[in-house]
Amino acid sequence: VIHSTRNKDAVIHSTRNRRRKSLRDPSKAHDGKQNGDAVGGKEERFRPGITENMNDPLGKRRVFLKYKDELKEDDRFNVLAQALKDYPQDHTVVVDIDEETYKSLKADHLIESLEDDNEVHGLSSASTDIPFARHLAEHIPWGLEMIQANKVPRGISPVKVCIVDTGYAIGHPDLPTDGVTGDNFRPLGKLRELRWDRDLNGHGSHVAGTLAARTNNDFGVVGAGNSTDNIHLHIARGLDDNNAGYESDIVDALYKCKDAGAKVISLSLGGPKELAWKSYRAYRDIVHQHGIIVVAAAGNSGTSDDVYPASHPDVISVVAVSQSRRYWGWSNYNPQVELAAPGVSILSTTTSPVAVHADDFSYPAEHVKGSSRVNFSGSLKSCGYGTSICRAARNSICLVAWGSNSGTIESIVENCKRGGGRGAILYERYGFDSVYFLDDLGYSPLPVLHVSRTVGRYLRTHAQSSDTMTIDFGDDNSMVYTYDFFTGTSMAAPHVAAAAALVWANHPDCSNHQIRYALARTAQDRGDPGCDDDYGYGIVNAFRAHQFLSKNNCRDGNFGNEPRPGGCSIYEPGDE
């Protein structure tokens, strides 16, 4: 028997093959490089995306303060006057306080509780090292086919899915605009609102494209929702441009989703600390009182640690699998894991301050500081490791597989320039996608970019042709609309959200609990027989869930009627 995360309302009975595993090396777990899937590597590459302290540099901490009514009549009411957020119905405020004030209030009989307003971050990393082929037309992502979303028919009634993230690049040609609505977000302590329809980070737009990129437009990618006829989007922004926010920001976003009429909420974010009681109750209220399905990323640290909100019992916790249906070794594994979904090397829409345009796609790049910012178009020439003058680069762009024996960046760029090159694109040849290995250039008249190993290996195929590449710096006020491969449970969560919406669009009479039950019952079992800590019930399958509900009418069915906490308690053998 495993008690709920807050030990307040629910007891989670986990009876199916539950096993606690010790901390393990994720790079050796299940899906290593010998299987052709991207795991392991430098810590920067697959970091969980959670930092320990985003609070005030002067040492203040952000807390939920729950007070007794008498505090309003007390001199100490000035604490409430400093509130960043106010929830009067709960006698709760969010405040920034120093450690001395925290200790004083903790001992005050008029204060019911003080709980940290914990930090949350998006959970993904970019550009894994899986090579990919040329895309000359609309690309059908492997994730859509794995969950069989393409087999689910057009629904009876569209379902609104709400994404809480870093925003939405509404100008991206592969993201829908019709019917898309949203709410802005003001970070705590900031005067300026962040717009929902802009995304300077790119994480939110990648999640949105994974879920609902345009179909039948002859270019780009297809979202897992497979049709805007089935899914309408609402964007309730809850993270800033650094992919960071607070629990209270996400709670506010949940209710904006509810007010917008959302039936499914997708959260590709999380934090390592247990939810405050205010947040815990909000998720319970959203699911049980408002009938919404909440899906969240299980975490990317490769440990058995809980990540919240995914480990809340009313939230569907999702881990990532690769194209070979193997568990991605950096997914968190624990008894709250409920479903698995595609999450390794997921190609989707995103944004970037710099891009390389090739074929029908635009790929993100990093500008190497000290080089010029001049847009340039020309053919691409392979210049090896950049150790000698690149004679083939005249009036072209040099492509260099950068490594520790390539010399300094200055010498690489000089060899490109002396060969007549007009620009340089560098990629890490040893498999790490981090830009942090590159030093700044003192000065270069050539534009110099760094791209991921994935993109670099793809661009190398162009170096044998006369295809034209374009280096595009956009402008100071906007990002370039691009595509990129992201990996993480952040990418898995929108696949499950899309599956839930597709199934619900075809079976609008079902409750949120019945849809959740159907997804769990029909998932493709992986790993140990039955439900386990790695895969939960298995890989979500939208078509099989649709078939199940077509045979078992929700109005007459005796399944999913009793709300159950998450993990392996949703469906047990013998359930009708």
Side-chain angles (χ1 to χ4, degrees), residues 182-258:
D183 288 293
N184 294 339
F185 160 59
R186 177 176 291 147
L188 284 171
K190 305 294 183 182
L191 297 177
R192 183 174 64 89
E193 278 194 333
L194 298 178
R195 287 171 48 178
W196 69 267
D197 57 356
R198 286 173 61 89
D199 185 8
L200 299 183
N201 182 279
H203 186 270
S205 296
H206 196 282
V207 169
T210 301
L211 200 156
R214 293 178 187 269
T215 59
N216 301 319
N217 59 350
D218 296 326
F219 69 90
V221 295
V222 177
N226 200 36
S227 172
T228 53
D229 292 334
N230 290 319
I231 293 176
H232 292 169
L233 290 181
H234 184 80
I235 311 299
R237 185 159 181 179
L239 299 178
D240 63 20
D241 292 335
N242 295 315
N243 209 8
Y246 286 92
E247 267 186 44
S248 57
D249 298 328
I250 309 308
V251 168
D252 291 350
L254 293 178
Y255 284 100
K256 290 174 181 176
C257 293
K258 184 267 294 182

Side-chain angles (χ1 to χ4, degrees), residues 154-448:
R154 180 176 177 176
I156 300 170
S157 176
V159 169
K160 182 164 285 190
V161 178
C162 185
I163 298 172
V164 180
D165 216 289
T166 61
Y168 184 80
I170 202 162
H172 198 297
D174 214 10
L175 288 176
T177 56
D178 292 345
V180 180
T181 56
D183 288 293
N184 294 339
F185 160 59
R186 177 176 291 147
L188 284 171
K190 305 294 183 182
L191 297 177
R192 183 174 64 89
E193 278 194 333
L194 298 178
R195 287 171 48 178
W196 69 267
D197 57 356
R198 286 173 61 89
D199 185 8
L200 299 183
N201 182 279
H203 186 270
S205 296
H206 196 282
V207 169
T210 301
L211 200 156
R214 293 178 187 269
T215 59
N216 301 319
N217 59 350
D218 296 326
F219 69 90
V221 295
V222 177
N226 200 36
S227 172
T228 53
D229 292 334
N230 290 319
I231 293 176
H232 292 169
L233 290 181
H234 184 80
I235 311 299
R237 185 159 181 179
L239 299 178
D240 63 20
D241 292 335
N242 295 315
N243 209 8
Y246 286 92
E247 267 186 44
S248 57
D249 298 328
I250 309 308
V251 168
D252 291 350
L254 293 178
Y255 284 100
K256 290 174 181 176
C257 293
K258 184 267 294 182
D259 292 342
K263 300 182 75 172
V264 178
I265 298 175
S266 184
L267 304 174
S268 291
L269 51 83
K273 297 180 180 178
E274 192 173 3
L275 294 172
W277 180 234
K278 169 68 181 175
S279 301
Y280 180 87
R281 284 205 316 172
Y283 287 97
R284 174 137 294 189
D285 180 59
I286 286 290
V287 172
H288 293 283
Q289 300 304 316
H290 300 288
I292 297 171
I293 290 174
V294 182
V295 180
N300 298 349
S301 62
T303 70
S304 60
D305 295 341
D306 287 315
V307 167
Y308 296 91
S311 285
H312 187 292
D314 294 314
V315 174
I316 299 176
S317 178
V318 185
V319 298
V321 296
S322 69
Q323 192 167 359
S324 58
R325 300 179 186 269
R326 292 177 179 269
Y327 171 88
W328 180 56
W330 288 85
S331 293
N332 284 31
Y333 53 94
N334 54 57
Q336 284 302 124
V337 170
E338 191 167 324
L339 290 169
V344 176
S345 292
I346 302 301
L347 181 64
S348 184
T349 52
T350 188
T351 62
S352 175
V354 190
V356 177
H357 302 305
D359 285 343
D360 293 325
F361 283 81
S362 299
Y363 295 101
E366 293 283 344
H367 174 236
V368 177
K369 293 179 181 178
S371 67
S372 70
R373 296 179 60 91
V374 178
N375 292 352
F376 178 74
S377 295
S379 60
L380 190 70
K381 301 299 180 184
S382 177
C383 296
Y385 302 149
T387 54
S388 60
I389 297 174
C390 189
R391 305 289 182 186
R394 186 172 182 80
N395 292 322
S396 300
I397 300 170
C398 301
L399 179 68
V400 178
W402 182 83
S404 58
N405 62 347
S406 294
T408 65
I409 296 178
E410 286 85 354
S411 67
I412 294 171
V413 175
E414 181 64 21
N415 285 333
C416 174
K417 178 183 172 186
R418 291 176 66 184
R422 302 287 301 279
I425 299 174
L426 282 60
Y427 69 95
E428 169 57 54
R429 82 179 205 243
Y430 292 119
F432 304 134
D433 278 332
S434 174
V435 300
Y436 306 113
F437 296 111
L438 296 182
D439 298 323
D440 293 349
L441 278 166
Y443 169 74
S444 169
L446 307 184
V448 182

Side-chain angles (χ1 to χ4, degrees), residues 516-545:
R516 186 176 182 180
Y517 176 94
L519 294 176
R521 179 158 181 165
T522 59
Q524 181 194 23
D525 190 22
R526 298 289 295 173
D528 290 350
C531 194
D532 59 69
D533 288 5
D534 288 346
Y535 295 90
Y537 286 100
I539 300 172
V540 70
N541 190 301
F543 183 59
R544 288 172 58 174

Side-chain angles (χ1 to χ4, degrees), residues 3-68:
H3 292 282
S4 71
T5 55
R6 294 295 305 174
N7 199 23
K8 294 281 197 297
D9 297 296
V11 174
I12 305 171
H13 296 278
S14 301
T15 60
R16 300 188 61 203
N17 297 319
R18 278 310 197 189
R19 62 199 191 286
R20 275 284 186 185
K21 296 186 282 276
S22 60
L23 180 67
R24 62 190 178 198
D25 179 359
S27 65
K28 299 176 182 177
H30 297 270
D31 211 7
K33 286 187 177 179
Q34 66 272 22
N35 297 318
D37 296 309
V39 297
K42 289 287 186 180
E43 178 180 295
E44 296 94 340
R45 183 168 161 215
F46 289 125
R47 59 192 182 276
I50 300 169
T51 59
E52 283 303 314
N53 189 3
M54 199 173 72
N55 281 325
D56 190 286
L58 298 178
K60 290 187 177 182
R61 62 195 296 179
R62 187 155 291 169
V63 297
F64 288 98
L65 183 154
K66 186 174 176 61
Y67 57 89
K68 295 181 180 178

Side-chain angles (χ1 to χ4, degrees), residues 75-93:
D75 291 340
R76 286 159 292 181
F77 183 72
N78 66 333
V79 174
L80 306 187
Q82 300 169 20
L84 299 167
K85 293 186 179 183
D86 188 5
Y87 306 97
Q89 70 279 12
D90 295 326
H91 285 183
T92 299
V93 292

Side-chain angles (χ1 to χ4, degrees), residues 473-487:
F473 284 98
D475 59 54
D476 293 336
N477 299 312
S478 67
M479 305 291 279
V480 181
Y481 300 129
T482 63
Y483 297 83
D484 200 5
F485 289 86
F486 282 18
T487 287

